Structures are given as structure tokens and as C-alpha cells.
Amino acid sequence: MSTTADRPILMFDSGIGGLSVLREARVLMPGRRFIYVADDAAFPYGAWEEPALAGHILELFGKLFDRYDPEISVVACNTASTLVIDALREVFPGRPFVGTVPAIKPAAERTCSGLVSVLATPGTVKRQYTRDLIAQWASKCHVRLVGSDRLAGLAEIYMRDGFVDEDAVRAEITPCFVEQEGRRTDIVVLACTHYPFLVNRMRKTAPWPVDWLDPAEAIARRALSLLDSGPPEEGEIEFRNGSDIAVFTSGKSDFATRRMMQGFGLSLA
Ligand code: DGL
């Protein structure tokens, strides 16, 4: 393992969702080098059986560590984190991880109506980890878990092609909106890192306004707090243009993907 402070930060997701965390991380850690890994060969994670997905991710991280030796790894994916974050820490002791799990605690603290919805992949909705978060932090709220089969895929299309079927977005978010004894859902937790990219469409198609909770900045802050080197001093920030890369496990390098990655300051490996 290299000891230089120049080791990269690895950002990991099944697809483009982790870019919602990367964009916050780059603001907070402008001098750091990032490697963005999209396991698109296995997308969508939301549809996988748990044991197979866990084995797949653990094996992939073994290879990523051999290749990139990151200082820290951000699992910018709720579907992966709620399944394997504990196993990753066990299998790779000494490798710091930041996980991304549904922001149920802040939602429970912030809601006025007591009606909160968690919008996630079918995988995240099924996880014991998610149920435990609700039992631990939101026992006084009414929490509706909404598993969406389509939203992550719609976000992928939107980010590559620039348009999305708004009726499909409306249909996927509608179950989040609950009315009960004169109260209404006032917070929807975006518990999949793909969803912040569709939030404007969600706002537009929602039956009433809610607070859409995106945890990306909090995750980036957590990552910053784990860096040995700490935040850069004034004047210490190096101009790192072009050194951040994106790795797609499918080997995909079509024009739309390249253009999208360039928009996030990444070149394809
Ligand atoms: N971005 C991922 C998440 O945060 C999952 C998308 C998928 O692969 O289904 O859950």
C-alpha cells in the first residue's frame, strides 16, 4: 500500500448515481484525485438476489484495491451499502469505507406531519438494514417504503440523453404521497443515489410539494472527515485538471457516456 497523501478517493456505484455524491465531494475536496467506478456490467443492483450481489461486490472491491489502492472508498450506492458495508469492513480491515444508507434519521428529525416516505430500489426496500434504521430512528413516524423498479434506469437515460418520460416518473413517485387524518407526507428520502438527478422532474410531477432529502453532501463531508491529510490549506490546492478517471466495468465508452463523464470532469479509463 502506498503511503503518499496522493492516493485517490474511490467512488463506487452500479452506474451514474454516485456522480451525485462525486459532485459534492469535488467541491469539498478540490485538491484530491478521484476514481469513479460504475459497475454498469451488473446494473441494476436493485434487481439482484442478496447473496449473489454481496459476493459480486466483495470480489470486485478486491480487484479495485489491487489496481487503484485508494486512500478511502465511498460506496455511493444505497443498494450496495445496505447489503455489504459491514462485510466490506470485515473482509478489508484497514481500508476505510464511507457507506450511503437511507437518510431516515434526518427525515424523522425534520418531518412536521410525521409522514415520511423512503424512495429506493426494490433491493434497498427489502433490506433488514433499512428496517433497522426505521426501528431505531423513526419509530414515532409513519414511514412508507416505496421500491421503484424503474427510476434508476430512467435517471441513466436522462443523464445520457437529456430527456425522460415524465409520466413514468410520476407513476414511480405517486406511492410516496400519503394522506392520513388530515396530514400529508412532507418528506421523501431519496434513498438511491441515482434519484437526485431526477429531482426536478419529481418536483414537477408530485401531487404536492415535499422536502426531497438528498444525503450527498453529508456523505461527502463524512469522506472528508476520514482523510488522513485533512482539508487543504488556503493556497495548497493543486490544479488537477484531467487526472480524475471513470471506470465502467462493461468497458463501455460510447459518445454519450464520454460526454456525460466529461461534464463531471472525468475521462474514461
Ligand atoms: N445508485 C444505486 C443506489 O443508490 C442503485 C441503482 C441500481 O443499481 O439499482 O441504490
Side-chain angles (χ1 to χ4, degrees):
M1 230 186 265
S2 139
T3 51
T4 73
D6 199 36
R7 285 161 63 205
I9 298 171
L10 192 133
M11 286 267 166
F12 178 84
D13 183 38
S14 58
I16 54 106
L19 294 170
S20 63
V21 180
L22 179 78
R23 69 182 168 189
E24 301 295 337
R26 296 181 101 204
V27 173
L28 289 177
M29 296 171 268
R32 301 302 305 226
R33 190 157 59 89
F34 290 92
I35 304 213
Y36 185 80
V37 178
D39 186 14
D40 64 326
F43 179 87
Y45 277 0
W48 280 62
E49 290 299 327
E50 292 189 353
L53 183 59
H56 169 77
I57 294 171
L58 289 169
E59 192 187 325
L60 181 55
F61 263 92
K63 291 183 192 150
L64 294 172
F65 287 148
D66 287 346
R67 184 142 196 188
Y68 300 110
D69 186 28
E71 181 175 345
I72 60 170
S73 303
V74 181
V75 183
C77 174
N78 293 259
T79 314
S81 297
T82 51
L83 180 65
V84 290
I85 196 72
D86 295 337
L88 282 167
R89 291 187 173 122
E90 255 169 56
V91 173
F92 303 105
R95 293 276 186 189
F97 289 95
V98 178
T100 305
V101 299
I104 288 163
K105 181 173 183 261
E109 285 166 358
R110 210 184 284 185
T111 177
C112 295
S113 69
L115 302 184
V116 168
S117 290
V118 177
L119 185 59
T121 66
T124 300
V125 161
K126 269 195 304 207
R127 303 270 189 266
Q128 189 55 43
Y129 198 113
T130 305
R131 314 262 157 169
D132 291 346
L133 284 176
I134 294 170
Q136 190 178 1
W137 302 111
S139 56
K140 295 203 176 79
C141 301
H142 177 279
V143 179
R144 173 169 289 187
L145 285 168
V146 178
S148 166
D149 287 316
R150 295 192 62 197
L151 277 175
L154 290 169
E156 292 272 336
I157 294 170
Y158 178 61
M159 292 303 282
R160 283 195 174 78
D161 302 341
F163 54 83
V164 70
D165 176 352
E166 287 184 359
D167 289 334
V169 173
R170 179 185 292 109
E172 295 299 296
I173 66 167
T174 296
C176 294
F177 291 82
V178 179
E179 279 189 287
Q180 221 174 56
E181 295 154 14
R183 291 175 300 138
R184 285 173 156 187
T185 304
D186 61 355
I187 297 196
V188 177
V189 177
L190 298 174
C192 168
T193 51
H194 278 70
Y195 299 171
F197 292 122
L198 290 177
V199 76
N200 285 336
R201 306 306 156 122
M202 293 179 181
R203 280 196 188 103
K204 188 172 165 194
T205 56
W208 60 78
V210 292
D211 190 354
W212 303 91
L213 210 73
D214 172 5
E217 194 197 333
I219 296 156
R221 282 196 185 284
R222 174 79 189 131
L224 174 62
S225 75
L226 289 188
L227 289 177
D228 273 348
S229 39
E233 300 284 320
E234 189 96 28
E236 206 182 82
I237 299 167
E238 221 179 296
F239 187 53
R240 310 203 57 105
N241 193 18
S243 60
D244 292 348
I245 57 165
V247 178
F248 281 75
T249 55
S250 68
K252 186 153 69 186
S253 62
D254 56 70
F255 175 72
T257 304
R258 273 203 310 276
R259 186 183 53 187
M260 173 177 56
M261 289 299 144
Q262 275 161 9
F264 285 87
L266 299 164
S267 48
L268 284 188

